[in-house]
Amino acid sequence: MAIGNENQGADAISEEDIFRQMAEAVVDGDDDIIEELANKVLELNIDPYTAIVEGLTKGMSVVSDMYENGEAFVPNLMVSAGAMYEGLDILSPYLKTDSTNKPSKIIIGTVEGDVHDIGKNLVKTMMTAAGFDMVDLGSDVTLSSFVSSARDQQADAISMSTLMTTTMPGMEKVIEQLKEEGLRDSLLVMVGGAPINADYAEKIGADATKNDASQATEWLTGAIAELPDADLRWSEKQISLNKVKYKEELAKKVTVEAVDIGLESAKAIIEEFESVGVKTKESMTHTDRSLAALADKKVDRLPVYPLACGVLRKFAPVTYKEYATNEEAFVQSAYLGSKYLDLDMFVGLVDLSITSADLGCGIKFPEEDTPSSEGHLEDYEKIEVPEVKEGTRAYELIQATKLGKAKLNSELETPMVGFHEGPLLTLTQLMGASRVLGDINTNPDVVLKAVDKCADYVAEVSRAFFEEDACDALCIDNLWSNNVIMGHDDYWKFDGQFVYDKHVPVFKEYNQPYIVHNCADAVHYDLQISKFGTALYSYAYYPSGKDKGSYSYDELIPKYGETCCMMGEVDPIQFLDNSPEGIQKIRNDTESNLRGAVQTLKENGLQSKYVLSTGCEIPPGAPLDTSKAMVDVVKELGPELQKMMG
């Protein structure tokens, strides 16, 4: 796009034309044109603020509307955002501001332990376009950094996001730290991410959560307008009063949190088990039941496995770091958890950075939380595919899984399901999700070569699992199949074709079922089930995303039940609440899911092709009696319900 036209000189171009062309350049993601136009604004003494509002912001609004309507996806948004920021960098230093019209300051980041930053960046972009001054702390942000940054900036709001259920409790800890320091009433707190819902936001004391970046921006604009004057909110007197206000509440909280809820609930379950034993003797073993469900054969009841992996370490008991790095700790956690909860399977999910670590990124190992990748690679060209051998994380995981399989098979007749990451997920952990998804538009050939290398390693890891006979089945996390983040064609081009060409053939070679876990909220099911030939699909269901393609069993079983066993969908976040009311809610939701799934199976001529599970992993700091509640309901009601299948 050229500035101006053949019939008028560059100097004759009108303000309206400049603003229109700026908006178009943002939509196109054209950094060069934006740079020219922004400098032209300064050259012609056009008000920079008006140029931002009428040019950059309007362009971003167009892209936002396209995104909301399914006409654009995250890579498009990121490229447009890059163009918008290019213009902001040039124009912002020339804005005329005073104390009465300073933009509201927002602290934003992804909570500690989570390196996913797509959602955070979308919110940042929309809020920047709306005129907020965004202080971006990045991803994997330490909890204290949210508080200290808010204090230093005298911020109007904090916006925290996460994709991983395992890191959600950090949000509540930030709010508690704000209370401790008397800062909670000085600002608003928003939380967001696929697993976050309004109930959770209210429970932890956040002010709001919204379904998407546009809604978040709209809400925050109105909410900040209602805040008292910043000088009052941030005065030393008010902060001192707030400390007193929350002192009693926090004292009660500290007393409760002094107890390791995972460990205490594990002890109670062990004590009950050893005094009573397994309450009901069942007619099928865990392995037989799981295999029968996969093949839609007759079962005594549907299998059940809340996605309890790292949380089971409290039965051993060991820290998460030990669970993730010590094979004996891993095996004991899997064995004792499967034994005392009477699980129908165990999935050996350690963290989502096994393969990316072997390809070059750093790993952070907290004592009591999920490991996460850090120190992303800077150069795609430096990705080197290693052998799966001693010293790699993949090799260590395979050996630990192999030992776990031997123990679970022989002593509990329970299947061990191995677990690792797919190609695009590996690359996003290695390089950073925002960078990779942005480069899909700007440097597609580089990304394709990198995914190809990741696919080679992923295939070799799976091959090593099968060669070692390390698991009864192998599950792959192919996260980015999401029709909000990536369109069908882009997903196929940048992940799906590599899975199909390089990874699925390994499973066929060893006559193994292809199994997928995906906690995204609007999945390209046709690709990941029909094209891959997936035999078991572990899925998440988010009711708020139903209009964008988040589906529950009553839609998935009729469409895919003939070929694929579905596994989901109880909300894992409620497993943090082991109050009597919380446990009853889990029981109620599990019963509803169980009854509905059995009825839907029957209506579609099936009898057992479903596994009761959670939509994502249960946070590792959760109690264990909540998982037990889910299993108990299925064991209590499952046999009678199964009889209706005939």
Side-chain angles (χ1 to χ4, degrees):
M1 179 178 69
I3 299 176
N5 58 51
E6 296 177 357
N7 297 319
Q8 63 183 130
D11 290 340
I13 186 171
S14 68
E15 287 188 12
E16 290 74 16
D17 282 338
I18 289 178
F19 299 156
R20 174 182 54 77
Q21 290 184 20
M22 289 182 86
E24 290 174 356
V26 168
V27 174
D28 294 339
D30 195 325
D31 291 13
D32 294 335
I33 293 295
I34 284 291
E35 182 181 357
E36 288 184 49
L37 290 167
N39 285 318
K40 178 62 67 176
V41 165
L42 299 178
E43 179 186 328
L44 298 178
N45 292 318
I46 298 171
D47 178 34
Y49 178 78
T50 305
I52 290 172
V53 172
E54 296 298 324
L56 301 179
T57 299
K58 279 194 173 178
M60 205 63 225
S61 295
V62 171
V63 182
S64 175
D65 289 342
M66 293 170 64
Y67 174 72
E68 292 300 319
N69 295 328
E71 299 167 6
F73 300 94
V74 169
N76 310 106
L77 276 172
M78 296 178 70
V79 171
S80 293
M84 180 189 72
Y85 288 128
E86 179 74 24
L88 286 174
D89 287 345
I90 295 170
L91 297 175
S92 293
Y94 297 91
L95 291 173
K96 298 174 183 178
T97 60
D98 56 45
S99 59
T100 62
N101 68 355
K102 284 183 179 178
S104 299
K105 188 156 288 191
I106 316 299
I107 308 296
I108 191 167
T110 306
V111 294
E112 188 170 11
D114 194 339
V115 297
H116 299 97
D117 57 2
I118 299 299
K120 181 266 295 180
N121 287 341
L122 291 179
V123 172
K124 174 191 171 185
T125 298
M126 298 299 183
M127 290 186 174
T128 300
F132 292 110
D133 183 1
M134 305 301 294
V135 180
D136 187 0
L137 303 183
S139 59
D140 191 22
V141 178
T142 59
L143 307 184
S144 60
S145 292
F146 283 105
V147 179
S148 60
S149 296
R151 184 198 312 108
D152 294 345
Q153 299 285 342
Q154 294 197 350
D156 297 286
I158 290 175
S159 177
M160 294 181 282
S161 69
T162 185
L163 178 65
M164 299 169 63
T165 55
T166 55
T167 63
M168 288 173 59
M171 294 176 165
E172 184 174 14
K173 292 176 183 176
V174 170
I175 293 172
E176 288 169 4
Q177 288 181 26
L178 290 169
K179 291 177 179 178
E180 287 173 8
E181 299 199 21
L183 307 180
R184 176 63 187 93
D185 293 353
S186 299
L187 74 174
L188 299 164
V189 177
M190 292 189 73
V191 293
I196 307 295
N197 57 36
D199 289 342
Y200 184 76
E202 181 180 2
K203 177 176 178 284
I204 66 174
D207 292 298
T209 186
K210 296 297 172 183
N211 291 338
D212 56 48
S214 296
Q215 290 182 28
T217 302
E218 182 180 355
W219 178 85
L220 191 60
T221 301
I224 285 181
E226 299 296 323
L227 285 175
D229 185 76
D231 290 340
L232 173 62
R233 288 184 279 123
W234 285 99
S235 69
E236 289 299 324
K237 178 181 178 181
Q238 190 61 49
I239 289 172
S240 296
L241 290 173
N242 291 339
K243 284 183 180 179
V244 174
K245 172 183 174 181
Y246 288 111
K247 188 173 182 180
E248 184 177 349
E249 175 189 329
L250 290 168
K252 293 178 181 178
K253 185 76 176 178
V254 168
T255 302
V256 171
E257 288 193 344
V259 176
D260 185 330
I261 194 168
L263 185 59
E264 291 303 308
S265 54
K267 287 178 180 177
I269 292 169
I270 291 171
E271 184 177 346
E272 179 187 3
F273 184 93
E274 292 183 345
S275 62
V276 178
V278 178
K279 292 180 180 178
T280 55
K281 299 296 181 183
E282 298 184 301
S283 59
M284 299 183 77
T285 68
H286 298 303
T287 296
D288 289 344
R289 182 180 300 112
S290 298
L291 290 174
L294 200 64
D296 196 40
K297 295 181 179 178
K298 186 174 182 179
V299 294
D300 55 347
R301 61 166 174 80
L302 294 183
V304 57
Y305 175 64
L307 198 53
C309 306
V311 67
L312 299 185
R313 74 195 187 283
K314 291 301 178 179
F315 281 115
V318 295
T319 66
Y320 204 108
K321 183 176 182 179
E322 290 169 324
Y323 168 77
T325 59
N326 183 302
E327 63 183 27
E328 291 182 4
F330 173 85
V331 171
Q332 277 296 93
S333 300
Y335 168 70
L336 294 175
S338 299
K339 173 183 176 181
Y340 291 126
L341 293 183
D342 204 26
L343 302 172
D344 281 320
M345 65 187 73
F346 176 79
V347 176
L349 193 168
V350 172
D351 60 73
L352 297 182
S353 52
I354 299 290
T355 49
S356 58
D358 290 343
L359 291 171
C361 75
I363 302 296
K364 181 172 65 176
F365 289 100
E367 287 292 311
E368 289 292 356
D369 205 350
T370 314
S372 58
S373 58
E374 62 178 2
H376 298 308
L377 230 58
E378 293 184 6
D379 188 350
Y380 287 100
E381 300 296 331
K382 291 185 178 179
I383 297 174
E384 295 183 4
V385 180
E387 293 181 42
V388 182
K389 61 182 181 180
E390 191 169 355
T392 62
R393 290 198 76 205
Y395 178 87
E396 293 166 357
L397 176 65
I398 290 165
Q399 297 308 311
T401 306
K402 183 177 182 178
L403 290 174
K405 176 195 173 188
K407 192 170 183 66
L408 266 64
N409 285 183
S410 63
E411 299 191 31
L412 301 176
E413 294 186 274
T414 298
M416 165 65 84
V417 180
F419 187 98
H420 70 87
E421 306 84 59
L424 185 58
L425 176 55
T426 296
L427 183 63
T428 56
Q429 295 289 86
L430 178 64
M431 308 297 294
S434 287
R435 178 181 176 186
V436 172
L437 293 180
D439 287 341
I440 280 174
N441 266 6
T442 56
N443 296 294
D445 291 341
V446 173
V447 175
L448 287 169
K449 289 178 182 177
V451 177
D452 192 35
K453 290 181 180 179
C454 292
D456 286 338
Y457 190 59
V458 164
E460 287 310 304
V461 172
S462 293
R463 184 181 300 278
F465 263 103
F466 299 144
E467 283 289 330
E468 292 278 343
D469 192 23
C471 54
D472 295 293
L474 183 59
C475 181
I476 308 300
D477 196 325
N478 285 317
L479 176 63
W480 295 116
S481 165
N482 179 300
N483 64 31
V484 175
I485 290 182
M486 300 182 77
H488 176 283
D489 292 343
D490 271 350
Y491 175 69
W492 173 252
K493 181 177 180 179
F494 290 95
D495 193 43
Q497 67 169 332
F498 296 98
V499 174
Y500 183 77
D501 291 340
K502 293 193 170 188
H503 199 198
V504 171
V506 176
F507 284 73
K508 291 181 178 178
E509 178 184 343
Y510 290 89
N511 196 29
Q512 290 286 330
Y514 194 72
I515 298 176
V516 171
H517 171 69
N518 192 336
C519 57
D521 57 348
V523 176
H524 296 296
Y525 282 111
D526 280 343
L527 263 180
Q528 288 202 321
I529 294 178
S530 303
K531 187 71 173 178
F532 295 171
T534 301
L536 176 66
Y537 199 107
S538 170
Y539 71 98
Y541 169 55
Y542 302 103
S544 63
K546 200 172 182 70
D547 61 331
K548 294 182 179 179
S550 188
Y551 300 133
S552 58
Y553 65 83
D554 56 337
E555 294 162 295
L556 293 170
I557 291 174
K559 191 165 186 179
Y560 302 109
E562 284 289 338
T563 58
C564 182
C565 179
M566 303 306 299
M567 178 174 172
E569 60 191 51
V570 179
D571 180 5
I573 303 311
Q574 63 194 53
F575 285 69
L576 289 165
D577 181 6
N578 71 335
S579 67
E581 297 79 12
I583 286 181
Q584 187 58 51
K585 187 174 190 313
I586 290 170
R587 291 184 62 88
N588 292 345
D589 286 357
T590 302
E591 179 176 349
S592 175
N593 191 190
L594 174 62
R595 290 184 181 278
V598 168
Q599 181 63 36
T600 305
L601 287 169
K602 184 176 182 180
E603 290 171 356
N604 288 273
L606 303 168
Q607 57 180 342
S608 62
K609 227 169 184 179
Y610 192 80
V611 179
L612 276 294
S613 186
T614 50
C616 198
E617 187 184 9
I618 294 170
L624 286 153
D625 45 1
T626 50
S627 292
K628 185 174 185 297
M630 182 179 187
V631 176
D632 286 350
V633 167
V634 179
K635 290 169 62 179
E636 291 163 9
L637 303 179
E640 282 301 313
L641 288 173
Q642 206 63 28
K643 289 178 182 177
M644 67 180 277
M645 304 298 285

